[in-house]
Amino acid sequence: MNPVTPPLSNRPKLPRISIVMPFRDPGASYLDRALASLQWQSEADWELIAIDDGSSDGSVDLPRLNDDPRIRLIRHERSAGLAARLNEGVSLARGRYIARMDADDIAFPHRLQVQADYLDAHPDVDLMAASVLMIDDAGAAIGVATSPTDHDSLVRRAALHFPMPHPTWMGRTAWFRKHPYDERAIKAQDQHLLYRAFRSSRFAAIGQPLLAYRYAQLSVRKTLLGRYHFLRAVWANGSPADACLSTLLHAAAAVRDLLAMALGRDRDVIRRRVDTIPDTVLDEWTRLSAQLRAARN
């Protein structure tokens, strides 16, 4: 007997946006603030696919994570890594668009609406990002990392870097399913994917900061692993000339980062990559930070 297809009016309404957020031991206070920033969005038509990749810090028991029907919590006892969990989230997504966010970052109130409206108005764009406000562990603002807004500028230095912060991504669900993350990539999973996809895709970005991006201190392991996995993508998918150029550029950048770490000047590397914070952005962040602190008290 063939199953009966329910009338359109009886089918469950699908969300406009599916947010994919894998996490592993993010810290309850960080995760709670990230979730609050999503619940306060001007765009309410979303689902959050929160995937616990084997946490042991108790963060999965947060009331905010378990009390909102828009949040789908997927729990795993063992870690499979970020790329595998991202692919899992993409496979579970029901929305027209997929958005990325990390469990220790904070979305500005109009983030989802601005990006989804942009994708509605630009059907040729597959994936977009946004500029970010860099913050430290205490939430103090460091500077703005500004992304170019057009495709050609975003891919201009493809041999070295795509200035598209991963937690700000929003794109079409079909694009994410066509371009899965490489589960062998331990670091730089986003850059690896972008290099494989940029020749057949159309990118864009919003110039205004839409996310507070928590600064991650440089480490030898992260620096070397990230550059190694990016170079894997270049050597597998680029021309020999591109691969050689990329290797030279990444070697020089790695030496710079390693020297900065050895001299205790790694924060200076970050500061050279950011711009002065506009007063409007700083005021918005000050108000949002105060609301987040009040919500925890």
Side-chain angles (χ1 to χ4, degrees):
M1 183 183 221
N2 293 328
V4 177
T5 302
L8 289 175
S9 59
N10 294 335
R11 295 180 188 176
K13 181 180 180 297
L14 299 180
R16 185 185 192 194
I17 304 162
S18 294
I19 307 157
V20 178
M21 181 192 287
F23 63 89
R24 183 167 183 261
D25 296 333
S29 62
Y30 286 157
L31 179 57
D32 189 70
R33 293 181 183 189
L35 295 173
S37 75
L38 291 175
Q39 292 174 325
W40 298 343
Q41 289 289 299
S42 59
E43 170 61 69
D45 189 8
W46 52 263
E47 66 172 353
L48 171 64
I49 304 170
I51 305 178
D52 170 29
D53 188 33
S55 293
S56 59
D57 66 351
S59 53
V60 293
D61 298 321
L62 279 172
R64 200 184 297 276
L65 187 60
N66 293 278
D67 293 346
D68 190 326
R70 295 173 297 178
I71 297 177
R72 301 162 63 190
L73 175 60
I74 314 297
R75 302 184 66 167
H76 296 284
E77 292 185 0
R78 296 183 179 180
S79 173
L82 178 60
R85 299 307 182 204
L86 287 169
N87 286 336
E88 179 182 359
V90 168
S91 71
L92 294 171
R94 300 178 300 170
R96 184 188 328 157
Y97 304 130
I98 289 177
R100 273 284 295 118
M101 186 160 160
D102 288 338
D104 61 347
D105 297 325
I106 297 166
F108 283 106
H110 298 290
R111 182 230 163 153
L112 296 179
Q113 182 180 355
V114 167
Q115 290 187 293
D117 286 352
Y118 185 97
L119 289 171
D120 283 349
H122 297 82
D124 59 318
V125 172
D126 299 299
L127 178 73
M128 67 178 308
S131 299
V132 295
L133 174 69
M134 299 287 290
I135 60 174
D136 63 17
D137 285 340
I142 298 173
V144 170
T146 305
S147 292
T149 58
D150 64 285
H151 176 85
D152 290 343
S153 297
L154 289 166
V155 305
R156 182 167 294 145
R157 304 186 72 194
L160 180 63
H161 176 67
F162 296 88
M164 300 177 66
H166 196 194
T168 71
W169 286 13
M170 184 185 290
R172 302 180 193 280
T173 299
W175 183 89
F176 277 96
R177 289 178 175 160
K178 183 179 179 180
H179 302 284
Y181 291 88
D182 185 336
E183 298 185 8
R184 296 171 298 170
I186 301 173
K187 294 292 181 184
Q189 298 90 347
D190 57 327
Q191 298 290 307
H192 192 288
L193 188 157
L194 291 173
Y195 191 85
R196 287 187 285 116
F198 83 94
R199 292 180 182 85
S200 60
S201 304
R202 194 74 185 170
F203 301 151
I206 298 291
Q208 71 185 91
L210 295 179
L211 185 93
Y213 185 101
R214 206 170 294 277
Y215 159 75
Q217 188 170 5
L218 294 175
S219 74
V220 173
R221 180 176 183 274
K222 288 180 181 179
T223 294
L224 296 182
L225 275 177
R227 298 189 185 284
Y228 165 73
H229 284 290
F230 183 81
L231 286 171
R232 271 206 313 112
V234 179
W235 279 95
N237 299 277
S239 67
D242 287 344
C244 291
L245 173 62
S246 185
T247 300
L248 289 173
L249 292 173
H250 279 276
V255 169
R256 177 204 61 202
D257 291 348
L258 293 172
L259 283 174
M261 284 183 274
L263 298 172
R265 305 295 298 272
D266 56 311
R267 180 63 67 93
D268 293 341
V269 174
I270 295 297
R271 291 192 183 280
R272 285 196 295 270
R273 297 175 183 171
V274 298
D275 301 319
T276 302
I277 306 170
D279 290 341
T280 54
V281 174
L282 189 57
D283 290 344
E284 185 176 14
W285 173 242
T286 300
R287 289 193 300 271
L288 182 55
S289 296
Q291 292 172 351
L292 291 167
R293 286 194 298 271
R296 287 286 295 170
N297 296 332

